């Protein structure tokens, strides 16, 4: 296997944004992407980054990324690792790249004394559900996601 997984650097911002756009295309959500290279630099490659990223390279070509951040569990009184995106280009799937990226993040979570690692998958993405379940993850269908963005966030903040 000619796979390299490494932490992204500021010089990788163009590559990362390209992969984010490919994920949005795959999920048919391209109209939701407002990220720019400048925003990624400002929020990920600053003194206190809001998110971190690992990039996957297959034969020296970028083929995937895992973007994550740390949160906190009050019940465990420990940090947690939240995986925002795990994406491998469709033409590179089935080669173990996604699995290796997920395992690398699990090792990072353990190294940072995280009590858990969490992520979500779209309800229609049964291929992802099967992938995660086969690796031993548990699906929590009883939890519902709530989100405030744009106008709804503005309204909430003004109450």
């Amino acid at each position: 296997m000619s796979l390299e997984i490494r932490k992204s650097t500021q010089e990788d911002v163009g590559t990362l944004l390209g992969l984010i756009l490919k994920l949005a295309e795959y999920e048919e959500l391209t109209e939701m992407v407002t990220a720019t290279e400048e925003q990624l630099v400002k929020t990920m490659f600053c003194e206190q980054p809001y998110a971190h990223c690992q990039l996957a390279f297959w034969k020296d070509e970028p083929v995937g990324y895992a973007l994550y951040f740390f949160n906190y569990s009050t019940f465990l009184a420990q940090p947690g690792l939240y995986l925002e995106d795990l994406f491998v280009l469709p033409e590179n799937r089935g080669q173990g790249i996604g699995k290796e990226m997920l395992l690398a993040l699990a090792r990072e979570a353990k190294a940072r004394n995280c009590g858990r690692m969490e992520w979500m998958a779209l309800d229609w993405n049964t291929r992802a559900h099967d992938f995660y379940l086969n690796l031993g993850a548990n699906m929590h269908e009883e939890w519902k996601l709530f989100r405030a963005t744009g106008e709804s966030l503005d309204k909430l903040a003004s109450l």
Side-chain angles (χ1 to χ4, degrees):
M1 183 186 300
S2 183
L3 175 65
E4 176 193 6
I5 298 173
R6 66 166 173 80
K7 199 162 179 90
S8 65
T9 66
Q10 187 168 333
E11 290 73 33
D12 296 315
V13 160
T15 297
L16 175 57
L17 183 56
L19 289 167
I20 290 169
L21 292 169
K22 291 284 189 181
L23 169 62
E25 181 182 309
Y26 173 75
E27 292 182 343
E28 299 181 8
L29 297 171
T30 53
E31 72 281 355
M32 295 183 69
V33 179
T34 62
T36 65
E37 289 185 23
E38 293 78 20
Q39 288 171 308
L40 291 171
V41 168
K42 184 178 176 181
T43 57
M44 293 180 63
F45 301 100
C46 54
E47 190 174 320
Q48 292 186 0
Y50 290 96
H52 310 275
C53 180
Q54 291 187 0
L55 292 172
F57 294 85
W58 181 259
K59 298 180 181 176
D60 297 322
E61 292 296 319
V63 296
Y65 76 100
L67 194 138
Y68 60 98
F69 56 88
F70 296 95
N71 56 20
Y72 191 79
S73 167
T74 55
F75 286 8
L76 299 176
Q78 284 182 276
L81 186 149
Y82 187 84
L83 174 59
E84 179 69 19
D85 295 336
L86 176 64
F87 179 71
V88 175
L89 294 172
E91 60 268 25
N92 294 96
R93 294 183 185 159
Q95 300 175 72
I97 297 168
K99 178 181 178 182
E100 289 302 319
M101 293 179 77
L102 195 65
L103 296 178
L105 288 181
R107 288 189 286 271
E108 180 163 357
K110 292 302 290 180
R112 291 183 176 239
N113 196 35
C114 292
R116 64 183 178 201
M117 182 171 145
E118 297 177 307
W119 61 94
M120 295 184 0
L122 290 167
D123 61 352
W124 58 260
N125 196 347
T126 56
R127 184 175 179 189
H129 301 177
D130 293 342
F131 171 70
Y132 297 133
L133 291 169
N134 285 333
L135 289 174
N138 300 307
M139 188 182 311
H140 290 256
E141 295 186 39
E142 66 275 12
W143 289 90
K144 301 293 182 192
L145 173 67
F146 292 85
R147 178 177 290 159
T149 60
E151 287 181 27
S152 64
L153 180 58
D154 292 343
K155 181 179 176 183
L156 185 61
S158 70
L159 294 177

